[in-house]
Amino acid sequence: MHEFRYKGNELYCEGVKISRIAKRFDTPLYIYSRKTLIDHYRKIKKAFSAIRPLICFSVKANSNLAVLKVLANQSAGMDVVSGGELYRALKVGVAPQRIVYAGVGKREQEIALAIKAGILLFNAESFAELGLIERAAGRLRKKVDVSLRINPDVEIHTHRFITTGRMINKFGLDIRTAEEIFLRSRIFSHLNLVGVHIHIGSQITEGRPFVLAIKKALHLIKRLKSKGVQLKYFNIGGGLGIVYRNERPQTADEFAQAVLPLLKETKLKIILEPGRFIAGNSGILLTKVVYVKKTPKKNFAIVDAGMNDLIRPALYGAYHEILPVVRAKDKAERKVRYDVVGPICESGDFLAQGRDMPIVQAGDLLAVMSSGAYGFVMSSNYNSRPRVAEVLIDKNKVSLVRKRESYRDLIRAEVIPKGL
Ligand code: LLP
């Protein structure tokens, strides 16, 4: 499943001892395994090989240039949601014709940038947005391909902040409105409405909601066809869940088996947008215990990574396994219940609560597992903490892929007005 394993009592990433990486680059630190990234990309590619889809890595999950480059080298396309993500994708040499652009709030400059770059298509989410793309395309004298993101209104079991396919969510167009827009598409002289896009949420471990959503989209596609609207693309989004704890998510093969028959029927070019499935288990956040503090109620392991470095536990109550980088020799060792907390001045600043772990002491290294997706990308400078470094491992080779920020970096863009 991933390349973070114990050899003896030491945790390794691929061929490298993690304690050695810590010595060289200090903590906190994100560590990614190149092999795990590639393995997961290939798992999806293989599972869907019968229809040769365009697999667009969802850049929001992990936008480090080296990570993107690893995937671009495998000929992955990219799913972007901002001008900044588009800039990164182009920077690593992804062909514009392999880039799709989603998001409810695209700004005119961002749209213009994407049109100029010649991306494959926009996934548009509202009538108003279509108007803006039409204007920008007109100004640039271009005809632009657009898919409509529909909101299939299906229920999924995941955190309420990461469901996107219910009608109460801000995403997509309801199916009736989307149908009307397709039928009236001639009003847009600079747009080709060429596809349907769905993305129902993230960390989805069961196949059912995908199948339901795809079926709803297929009904629309069929109705459109019967009314003379022939599409080219069907984008089924991302959302495949991974193992954080004891989930039993569908595998890429199981997922493909469930949806392939439906997709084949369409004869459309299929697009996938996996993020977490590719990057999630490919990375860890390495942190060091600074203090251990026992109170009448709890044991706190105070570590040097905080909610500003990995916000998922604080924001979603997400579970990340926490492993000692050096295991005690005695495997039957007694466990102690800890809250693993960071240095940020907020009680919400925790990486784990009530976690039974082998005894830790100051100086111990801990690996916060499955942090490769929505980890570093969601980090901030809160409490004026420089953002941490990122390292990529390729077999025995260790490469720094983002420098640790300095205090100077923290204030680089700030200005004190003269005469203040
Ligand atoms: N496509 C679209 C249009 C999306 O909005 C997303 C994720 C994806 C693809 C990729 O989904 P994935 O395969 O990674 O599930 N920060 C949250 C996750 C937010 C996901 C947002 N959209 C977390 O840490 O759990």
Side-chain angles (χ1 to χ4, degrees):
M1 192 178 69
H2 58 72
E3 292 293 323
F4 297 89
R5 292 202 198 102
Y6 287 103
K7 289 184 196 157
N9 289 318
E10 282 264 359
L11 190 64
Y12 278 69
C13 175
E14 302 199 12
V16 187
K17 247 188 211 171
I18 288 186
S19 54
R20 269 194 38 213
I21 310 175
K23 246 187 216 138
R24 184 159 157 210
F25 296 102
D26 204 3
T27 57
L29 180 70
Y30 275 94
I31 302 177
Y32 308 120
S33 151
R34 175 174 176 273
K35 180 165 191 302
T36 313
L37 285 166
I38 294 177
D39 283 353
H40 283 85
Y41 173 75
R42 288 192 180 152
K43 270 185 195 165
I44 298 197
K45 189 168 173 182
K46 190 159 159 273
F48 282 89
S49 60
I51 54 168
R52 308 178 111 257
L54 174 61
I55 303 171
C56 293
F57 174 63
S58 197
V59 173
K60 65 177 82 60
N62 189 322
S63 58
N64 183 285
L65 291 181
V67 168
L68 299 184
K69 184 72 182 165
V70 165
L71 295 168
N73 287 346
Q74 300 293 310
S75 70
M78 302 277 154
D79 150 45
V80 303
V81 290
S82 69
E85 287 189 354
L86 173 63
Y87 177 74
R88 286 175 178 276
L90 295 171
K91 199 89 190 156
V92 298
V94 178
Q97 280 294 301
R98 303 180 80 76
I99 298 177
V100 296
Y101 188 166
V104 292
K106 304 175 190 81
R107 287 175 306 153
E108 192 162 355
Q109 303 143 271
E110 294 178 304
I111 291 170
L113 265 179
I115 296 175
K116 281 187 208 151
I119 64 165
L120 181 67
L121 52 82
F122 288 92
N123 294 313
E125 309 222 11
S126 63
F127 190 71
E129 182 190 333
L130 288 170
L132 203 55
I133 305 177
E134 163 84 358
R135 264 221 315 270
R139 231 173 261 149
L140 294 166
R141 298 204 171 76
K142 290 261 169 69
K143 190 116 190 194
V144 175
D145 282 355
V146 178
S147 284
L148 294 189
R149 175 169 181 178
I150 60 162
N151 186 323
D153 200 21
V154 291
E155 193 154 355
I156 59 168
H157 301 111
T158 187
H159 192 279
R160 67 188 173 88
F161 285 5
I162 54 176
T163 70
T164 50
R166 297 298 315 277
M167 237 26 261
I168 51 162
N169 301 130
K170 66 181 173 182
F171 297 99
L173 289 150
D174 66 279
I175 294 183
R176 261 195 51 198
T177 307
E179 183 166 348
E180 278 167 25
I181 295 176
F182 273 118
L183 294 174
R184 292 170 51 210
S185 65
R186 264 167 301 151
I187 60 171
F188 299 111
S189 49
H190 295 278
L191 308 183
N192 300 314
L193 299 192
V194 288
V196 166
H197 174 225
I198 50 174
H199 171 77
I200 53 175
S202 200
Q203 185 55 13
I204 305 171
T205 50
E206 30 157 22
R208 235 177 74 86
F210 286 110
V211 171
L212 274 178
I214 288 174
K215 281 190 174 156
K216 285 194 175 181
L218 289 180
H219 277 131
L220 170 65
I221 291 170
K222 268 192 198 141
R223 270 202 312 279
L224 288 172
K225 197 171 175 186
S226 73
K227 293 178 182 173
V229 180
Q230 181 60 51
L231 303 177
K232 282 206 298 211
Y233 301 99
F234 180 23
N235 182 337
I236 63 168
L240 280 182
I242 64 166
V243 178
Y244 285 98
R245 188 180 196 170
N246 46 16
E247 301 87 345
R248 302 186 115 254
Q250 57 197 326
T251 62
D253 281 332
E254 286 162 356
F255 177 55
Q257 264 166 34
V259 301
L260 265 180
L262 297 170
L263 299 178
K264 273 184 186 157
E265 215 181 279
T266 67
K267 307 234 161 49
L268 301 177
K269 178 79 182 171
I270 303 298
I271 303 174
L272 273 71
E273 301 173 335
R276 189 189 316 262
F277 183 86
I278 293 175
N281 288 325
S282 308
I284 63 165
L285 171 62
L286 183 63
T287 184
K288 193 185 283 165
V289 179
V290 187
Y291 303 106
V292 176
K293 174 161 138 179
K294 199 171 159 49
T295 72
K297 293 264 186 211
K298 286 192 174 189
N299 296 305
F300 290 100
I302 303 171
V303 300
D304 62 4
M307 65 191 283
N308 71 302
D309 303 307
L310 178 67
I311 203 175
R312 301 195 69 258
L315 188 58
Y316 314 115
Y319 182 99
H320 286 259
E321 198 177 350
I322 300 185
L323 297 177
V325 168
V326 182
R327 262 193 314 209
K329 293 202 175 64
D330 176 9
K331 287 216 185 90
E333 205 199 11
R334 192 169 66 92
K335 295 216 164 144
V336 174
R337 183 158 296 180
Y338 290 102
D339 276 17
V340 181
V341 300
I344 299 275
C345 301
E346 298 218 18
S347 294
D349 177 28
F350 56 84
L351 297 177
Q353 284 182 309
R355 187 71 61 84
D356 294 332
M357 306 195 310
I359 288 188
V360 297
Q361 50 190 19
D364 284 358
L365 291 169
L366 298 175
V368 185
M369 305 302 289
S370 313
S371 304
Y374 308 108
F376 183 90
V377 284
M378 294 180 80
S379 68
S380 76
N381 291 122
Y382 187 38
N383 278 201
S384 279
R385 285 166 51 80
R387 272 178 303 169
V388 308
E390 295 173 285
V391 155
L392 180 74
I393 309 298
D394 176 16
K395 301 190 188 80
N396 293 316
K397 194 167 144 220
V398 183
S399 309
L400 182 65
V401 293
R402 192 180 207 274
K403 281 191 226 159
R404 188 176 300 283
E405 286 179 352
S406 64
Y407 291 150
R408 189 176 279 270
D409 292 329
L410 285 179
I411 58 166
R412 196 175 296 285
E414 293 175 34
V415 179
I416 303 176
K418 283 214 178 78
L420 193 71

